[in-house]
Amino acid sequence: QVQLVESGGGLVQAGESLTLSCAVSGRTFDFNTYTMAWFRQAPGKDSEFVASIRGRSSSTTYADSVKGRFTISRDNAKNTMYLQMNSLDPEDTAVYYCAADVNGAIYDYWGQGTQVTVSS
């Protein structure tokens, strides 16, 4: 089993920055092979992919809406993934979830989410 816990959410003003963390526990001996991702869900909207980072290559993918503003990274020694969010906009307000693809197929483990609220 894999457990994911997000942290770092909060209330910020437009233009400010915030860094989210996702700590992974449980089965972590092969954390460096997991593809990890961030998703978000705003009130009344469907869940939206934000960014992902592959395990072995650490190659990254971003949604167009966050490209150039958000940076996803990981520290395999700490079994932790991060999302650095700059130039935040009220449209970024959502609950942010981290997810892990452990077996190379689907995102089968999810965190409980952390709220990010950006005021104008």
Side-chain angles (χ1 to χ4, degrees):
Q1 286 290 337
V2 177
Q3 293 81 43
L4 286 68
V5 178
E6 303 96 336
S7 61
L11 172 63
V12 297
Q13 293 188 332
E16 293 185 340
S17 299
L18 208 56
T19 299
L20 305 182
S21 299
C22 174
V24 179
S25 61
R27 173 186 157 183
T28 59
F29 67 90
D30 53 352
F31 171 78
N32 65 315
T33 69
Y34 302 169
T35 293
M36 301 291 297
W38 289 98
F39 290 79
R40 67 186 182 185
Q41 187 166 23
K45 295 187 178 180
D46 292 334
S47 178
E48 173 189 23
F49 168 81
V50 175
S52 65
I53 183 166
R54 296 184 68 85
R56 300 187 189 280
S57 67
S58 289
S59 63
T60 58
T61 303
Y62 295 93
D64 288 343
S65 59
V66 306
K67 204 171 293 183
R69 299 188 299 123
F70 290 10
T71 302
I72 189 171
S73 62
R74 64 193 297 158
D75 185 334
N76 290 333
K78 296 182 178 180
N79 299 323
T80 301
M81 174 181 65
Y82 305 96
L83 185 68
Q84 172 69 41
M85 305 184 293
N86 298 327
S87 302
L88 282 163
D89 183 271
E91 291 292 311
D92 297 314
T93 295
V95 177
Y96 284 71
Y97 298 90
C98 65
D101 172 4
V102 172
N103 299 305
I106 61 171
Y107 291 106
D108 39 5
Y109 294 96
W110 294 78
Q112 82 289 349
T114 186
Q115 176 71 47
V116 172
T117 303
V118 184
S119 63
S120 58

